[in-house]
Amino acid sequence: MKRQFKLDNASLAYTASRSKKWSATYRVGAVLKREVDPSALKEAAARLKNRFPTFYVQLRSGLSWDYLESVDNTDIVFQESGPACRPLAIGKGDRPMFRILYSGRRISVELFHCITDGTGAMIYLKSLLAEYLRIREGAAIPCTQGVLDPRQAPQAGEFEDAYKRIATREHGLNRREPDAYQYSAEIVDDDLHICHGLIPVDRIKAVTHALGVTVNDYLVSAYIYAFYVNMDEDERARRPVRINVPANLRPLFHANTLRNFAMYYNVGLPARREPYTFQEILTYVSAHLHAGFQKESLRRSVCKNVSDEMMLLSQIAPSFLKRPFINAGFRLFGEQKYTSPFSNLGVVKVPEEMEPYIERFDFVLGRTVKNKIYATAVSFQNTLNVTFSSVSPCMQIQQTFFRFLRGQGIPVEITGPQSPTPEAGPPQADDICIALTPGRLAHAAHA
């Protein structure tokens, strides 16, 4: 019998705003130390179906709200080809709204954001890798550090729409804020252009510790700084650079849901003609992220979203009438309020028995409706992987960002199939040169 699940509060915007050419698709992945065995990977994916019932689902249309329905097709493992984070089949067919890709030593999971957020996706990826290594290597991998046992039944809390549990009747936060600067660059194809910057965790922590800030504060500030360096005076005066930063709500509100449970905070300095120094940006960002990520501040943001969903009109109106209004709200209060997202999954921990098989983890954001460039971070052992994805091959922002880190004494190794663009100028001795050929490591930028 098919199982049905209500959409969580965050999923409403993702489903209502999708189109034939766009759906909120993103990727989590891992680079292993041995070539991937496709048959073992397919078996591992099939074994996880019963343990992750809210993943193996497809979107269906209901009278009042759309909903998720379980599907049985586990033929979701493919050899990677074409651009990353392509749209998935949403609302039709018998395959779930995610795919598993392999290429060389890399395993990637690409998901429609309706299913889960980055934290939930990483739990699935770690569980998939553990089962794959049990099959492929005969490894005895314990179910710890977020690895779930495919032989156990799911827990009730994993299905929870935790947004509704923590929402109260208090007035939510006011969403009104000025529109943000929108980065524009030439789009020449349909590819998602990706580059990874690999940074030693101990080296960047030494810098941030001396400054008294977190690694996340520092990276967000460097990202804002990279935009300001590439703006002219008129652009700086018109709109602020604002970065959209998510917070995982699970540890704050004691949740173990595998659905979406994150809240977002836009941080950026007011627009002004004079350029900001990096220290000004860092001081501002550190203080405002700390305030914005306080438990009660995040709860008030949740309250606003849930109260909109629970309005009587929202409850009784048919779904085909609600979708345009939800989509309009998403566009009005969504991407035009920030320049780019920066999503940091933090430190990935796996059981000790898994560590010898894994080189690093990846996290890639797919294209969105309005923004043109996206950034992520994820750490494993002593490697921090900062990834940029963009609809444009122009590398101005990426090169400025990594060149700045290098100037602060932080080594960076760049890998990715992108090339320097004319806008960036020919590589100089003190420049970071983005990878010149697909799959080949580029020049390492050292202190």
Side-chain angles (χ1 to χ4, degrees):
M1 182 177 177
K2 299 287 187 181
R3 299 184 67 174
Q4 295 181 356
F5 304 95
K6 292 182 178 180
L7 295 176
D8 63 61
N9 182 261
S11 296
L12 299 175
Y14 296 128
T15 56
S17 60
R18 76 189 191 279
S19 67
K20 290 182 179 179
K21 293 185 177 181
W22 177 83
S23 61
T25 304
Y26 65 98
R27 166 188 290 201
V28 292
V31 177
L32 307 182
K33 294 182 180 178
R34 286 188 62 185
E35 198 90 357
V36 175
D37 179 346
S39 61
L41 184 58
K42 291 177 181 179
E43 185 176 348
R47 289 186 184 183
L48 261 59
K49 177 180 177 296
N50 292 332
R51 185 62 186 82
F52 289 84
T54 57
F55 279 62
Y56 292 74
V57 293
Q58 184 53 256
L59 184 70
R60 306 301 186 199
S61 295
L63 179 61
S64 183
W65 291 106
D66 292 345
Y67 63 94
L68 303 177
E69 182 179 71
S70 62
V71 290
D72 296 324
N73 192 340
T74 59
D75 182 20
I76 53 174
V77 177
F78 308 97
Q79 185 169 13
E80 182 161 10
S81 62
C85 298
R86 289 168 294 158
L88 290 141
I90 308 297
K92 59 184 179 181
D94 63 348
R95 280 196 178 114
M97 297 179 290
F98 73 99
R99 63 173 74 96
I100 300 171
L101 304 173
Y102 65 91
S103 176
R105 295 183 291 118
R106 187 189 305 273
I107 294 174
S108 302
V109 182
E110 295 186 345
L111 311 93
F112 179 35
H113 216 318
C114 171
I115 295 176
T116 188
D117 55 23
T119 300
M122 188 57 71
I123 292 172
Y124 178 86
L125 174 63
K126 293 195 294 184
S127 302
L128 176 70
L129 293 175
E131 193 64 15
Y132 168 80
L133 291 172
R134 293 182 189 115
I135 298 167
R136 175 73 170 86
E137 307 288 351
I141 308 295
C143 294
T144 59
Q145 300 288 6
V147 171
L148 303 186
D149 189 344
R151 288 159 285 277
Q152 290 185 347
Q155 299 178 16
E158 295 168 2
F159 306 157
E160 180 187 26
D161 180 358
Y163 293 108
K164 290 189 175 67
R165 171 168 62 82
I166 71 169
T168 65
R169 293 182 179 274
E170 67 179 295
H171 184 68
L173 290 178
N174 191 328
R175 290 198 184 104
R176 294 188 180 183
E177 56 185 348
D179 291 348
Y181 164 73
Q182 296 297 317
Y183 172 74
S184 62
E186 183 183 9
I187 300 174
V188 297
D189 53 38
D190 291 330
D191 287 357
L192 189 67
H193 300 269
I194 300 169
C195 70
H196 306 280
L198 308 181
I199 300 165
V201 172
D202 55 355
R203 295 292 293 274
I204 192 169
K205 276 193 170 181
V207 173
T208 58
H209 179 75
L211 293 170
V213 298
T214 68
V215 171
N216 197 54
D217 294 342
Y218 189 84
L219 293 174
V220 172
S221 300
Y223 196 24
I224 293 174
Y225 180 74
F227 282 108
Y228 273 114
V229 167
N230 289 286
M231 295 167 67
D232 60 33
E233 289 185 0
D234 289 339
E235 288 176 321
R236 289 196 298 264
R238 281 196 298 266
R239 298 289 187 191
V241 174
R242 198 178 292 122
I243 303 300
N244 180 256
V245 187
N248 174 24
L249 301 181
R250 292 169 181 80
L252 286 173
F253 295 100
H254 309 291
N256 68 329
T257 183
L258 292 177
R259 313 289 297 279
N260 286 289
F261 198 40
M263 189 48 64
Y264 300 82
Y265 182 78
N266 294 336
V267 61
L269 288 76
R272 76 177 190 188
R273 188 171 295 276
E274 300 79 14
Y276 286 101
T277 66
F278 175 74
Q279 187 56 54
E280 286 178 313
I281 296 171
L282 182 61
T283 300
Y284 185 95
V285 166
S286 181
H288 282 74
L289 280 185
H290 177 76
F293 285 170
Q294 291 297 307
K295 184 175 181 178
E296 290 311 310
S297 177
L298 292 167
R299 189 200 296 273
R300 287 195 297 274
S301 295
V302 171
C303 290
K304 178 59 178 173
N305 291 347
V306 172
S307 66
D308 290 348
E309 177 189 351
M310 300 306 292
M311 286 190 304
L312 179 61
L313 182 61
S314 296
Q315 294 298 305
I316 63 176
S319 59
F320 73 90
L321 289 178
K322 285 186 289 202
R323 289 190 199 108
F325 288 98
I326 297 173
N327 189 14
F330 174 77
R331 293 173 186 273
L332 183 62
F333 298 108
E335 291 184 69
Q336 69 184 40
K337 301 300 181 183
Y338 57 88
T339 307
S340 175
F342 184 92
S343 186
N344 189 347
L345 281 183
V347 179
V348 177
K349 295 182 179 180
V350 300
E352 289 184 10
E353 292 83 352
M354 283 179 66
E355 290 179 358
Y357 300 97
I358 301 172
E359 184 175 303
R360 70 172 187 270
F361 283 89
D362 295 334
F363 181 26
V364 179
L365 295 181
R367 66 177 64 219
T368 64
V369 175
K370 193 173 186 65
N371 300 146
K372 300 297 188 293
I373 187 171
Y374 329 101
T376 64
V378 62
S379 299
F380 177 66
Q381 295 180 333
N382 196 42
T383 299
L384 168 63
N385 186 352
V386 176
T387 299
F388 288 97
S389 49
S390 174
V391 296
S392 171
C394 176
M395 304 298 288
Q396 273 186 325
I397 303 299
Q398 298 91 318
Q399 286 204 348
T400 302
F401 178 91
F402 289 126
R403 188 179 296 121
F404 172 79
L405 296 188
R406 178 195 178 205
Q408 303 304 304
I410 301 170
V412 182
E413 183 181 85
I414 310 298
T415 178
Q418 315 311 326
S419 300
T421 59
E423 292 90 342
Q428 304 297 321
D430 62 345
D431 279 347
I432 294 173
C433 178
I434 304 301
L436 298 177
T437 57
R440 182 179 173 185
L441 283 182
H443 171 73
H446 294 293

